[in-house]
Amino acid sequence: MAQNKSSNTIIKGFVLPGLVQPLLSPDANPGYRKIRTAFEKVREEIERSQADLILIYSTMWPSILGHQIQAMPEPEWNLVDEEFHELGTIHYKLKIDSEFAECYNKHALKRGLHSRTIAHHGFPIDTGSVVALKLINPENRIPAVIVSSNIYSDRAETVVLGKAAVSALKEQGKRAVAVIISTLSNRLHADFIDPKDDKINSLKDQEWNLKILEFLEKGRLEDVAQLSRQIQREARVKKVSNFKPFWWLSAVMGAHNRYTGQIYEYQPIYGTGSAVIGLTPALNASRDLEFDEDAPEYYTGERNVLSLSSESMADFSSQQNSGNFDGSTEMENEDNENI
Amino acid sequence: MATEPQKSKTKGAIVAGCLAPHPPHLVYAENPPQNEPRSECGWETLRWAYESMRNELSTIDHDVLVILSPHWRTYVGTHILATPHLKSLSVDPVFPHLFRYSYDIKVDVELAETIHAVCQEKNIPTKLMQNPDFRVDYGTIVTGHMINPLWNKPIVCLSANSVSAYYNLDRMQALMMELGAATKEAIEKSGRKAILLASHSLSHRHFTSENEIPEDMSKEHITNHSLYLWDMKMINLMKAGKSKEMVDLIPDFTEQTIAETESGGLTWMMQAMDYPTYPAKVHGYGTVIGTGNVVASWAPKSSHSAPTAHSTQSGVQSGVQLGTK
Ligand SMILES: [Fe+2]
């Protein structure tokens, strides 16, 4: 199994929920306030980290044509959440590292991905990224870059997207904190509730959230990444093809379990399992218990998931296992469950 | 009401229903003044289909357009636009290079509130959207533009509840039937003459990459043949006047073709119109980055009358010549 030699480029990793309540209505429920307080702790940690960049992968920014990378230097807007519009308007003005965005895009393309940068006034930056940046980087002290989550992509493409970020960091000599915007279980209540009565939507969601938290508290990032398909089946509403954020995070931080995990907070927000979690590279590893998927370096494109011609079946090969990037070891093909 | 003069107490009616898909490519190709990017051409079969449908609607007297849009996706209940005036810039999150559209929309708040009230009576979870900073989703704007580029009629917009993702397609059908019946009842109470717009494609598997020239029509086709066969199956049922059979097929169709019928618009509209047994007018079918789109209308004979002030041309009447860059 190849190990990603990226630990010097990523100082810390964070898992942050993207719902608006901690920003707009923190006192509607004591749990929302606790999440807000946890965001503030993350803000302090990031300020102390001396990171050059906040690198965000948001599950709340879906894309179709490959991946999109935000590159507008100072995007500004009055955002209203499409679900919780009654909670108010969020004015934001962000600071984006456009140069890094271009560099990230260059490396994504070089690794066979379809991607592009986005720099249009009024582009709808996703609520989750805005909420997170308002809370962890309110003064824009550190520039950010945000990358979308492609609705059709699966593990290989997402892992390669993470590795492209590492290549860009290395080229620019930057150190970053990596952030994924994602809830654990993502099932909201289907009917309107009094925020005071908020709870995790189901016992099953609760059990899976606790399992994920248990892993991450022990620093077992790659184990959680490799459980992503099962998490998708068990604890996620199927809005997209798969549960991808931990694939990206482990590819960016290094696909192993040598982390110190910290659960800052875990609370229900409108039924979802919303957790604020930190991961810091460490010397000691938890045991690697769940590894069975591989770590491709390149993405070789369309897998024709709906075109089941005999030709495409016969020629199927989702990954390139030669021409190694960054001198890493050879890879096996994988992902054939996508056919 | 803030946007319309007081209506008489006569019973309102749904005077037409349209399947009106919302690929932003169609607005891009029309080059209207509201949209910033410029195109050379593109997707003419669908744009001409819309032109034909606008011509038809110009003969139907109506007060309001009621849209159900998949791109206002809500997970907690169905939401209803209820702010009198919404003006802003809409930038498509997936195709920002094609769609950056300045909109200025009047909302029929009284009808929105009536739909909300009827839904409350029937225990259908709904919420009014009253934040004036809210940005209207691009599905609503594309469909609204292609139907009425002058925006001289108020709209009501309903969100698409994500019930199919949370439960399944049968539960989606059930919710949309309840919502359709409630919409009909509210329109009748309101005294409005309303046109319903189900804003979505049929089969919905996109290409995952784009050509250098987005409007290069030599590259446009359905993603695969099975999607095409399913689209034709649905369209033939529309043409045969078998709307109930078509709606019954929606769960299978949606599952087989990842169809945007998943959002419930077509089910909602057919229920509200009591499942027309007359043929739909199919104005045209075409693909947009691989997805299947039909422009079709259902209008009872009694609806057709003299032309109204409805705008019939999208680009030309707006002062922009079609087909020029
Ligand atoms: Fe759509």
Side-chain angles (χ1 to χ4, degrees), chain A residues 68 83 85 89 116 122 188, chain B residues 75-76 79 93-94 133 135 166:
Chain A
Q68 303 193 130
E83 187 83 52
H85 33 80
T89 303
R116 67 172 171 219
L188 291 117
Chain B
Y75 299 93
V76 194
H79 300 208
V94 176
D133 296 327
R135 180 146 60 171
Y166 268 49

Side-chain angles (χ1 to χ4, degrees), chain A residues 5 87-88 90 111 115 119 138 179 216 233 264 275 289:
Chain A
K5 303 185 187 75
L87 297 181
I90 306 168
R111 285 175 177 269
S115 68
V179 173
L216 292 176
R233 283 193 296 273
Y264 293 92
L289 297 179

Side-chain angles (χ1 to χ4, degrees), chain A residues 65-66 68 77 82-83 85-86 89 116 120 122-124 152 187-189 191-192 237 239 302 305-306, chain B residues 72-76 79 88 91 93-97 100 125 127 129 131 133 135 165-166 205-206 208 224:
Chain A
L65 302 173
Q68 303 193 130
W77 199 256
E82 61 182 8
E83 187 83 52
H85 33 80
E86 74 282 9
T89 303
R116 67 172 171 219
H120 295 296
F123 183 86
Y152 295 122
R187 189 175 288 268
L188 291 117
H189 298 299
D191 206 346
F192 304 102
V237 175
K239 299 177 198 170
E302 180 59 56
V305 291
L306 287 183
Chain B
W72 184 10
R73 183 52 57 123
T74 56
Y75 299 93
V76 194
H79 300 208
S88 188
V91 179
V94 176
F95 304 101
H97 55 305
R100 301 191 296 277
K127 180 160 77 173
M129 200 308 295
N131 186 327
D133 296 327
R135 180 146 60 171
Y166 268 49
R205 174 70 201 198
H206 303 86
T208 53
N224 68 47

Side-chain angles (χ1 to χ4, degrees), chain B residues 22 71 204 260:
Chain B
H22 56 248
H71 294 290
H204 206 237
E260 219 176 13

Side-chain angles (χ1 to χ4, degrees), chain B residues 192-203:
Chain B
R192 304 291 197 274
K193 295 189 188 81
I195 292 176
L196 302 189
L197 304 174
S199 168
H200 58 75
S201 306
L202 292 180
S203 66

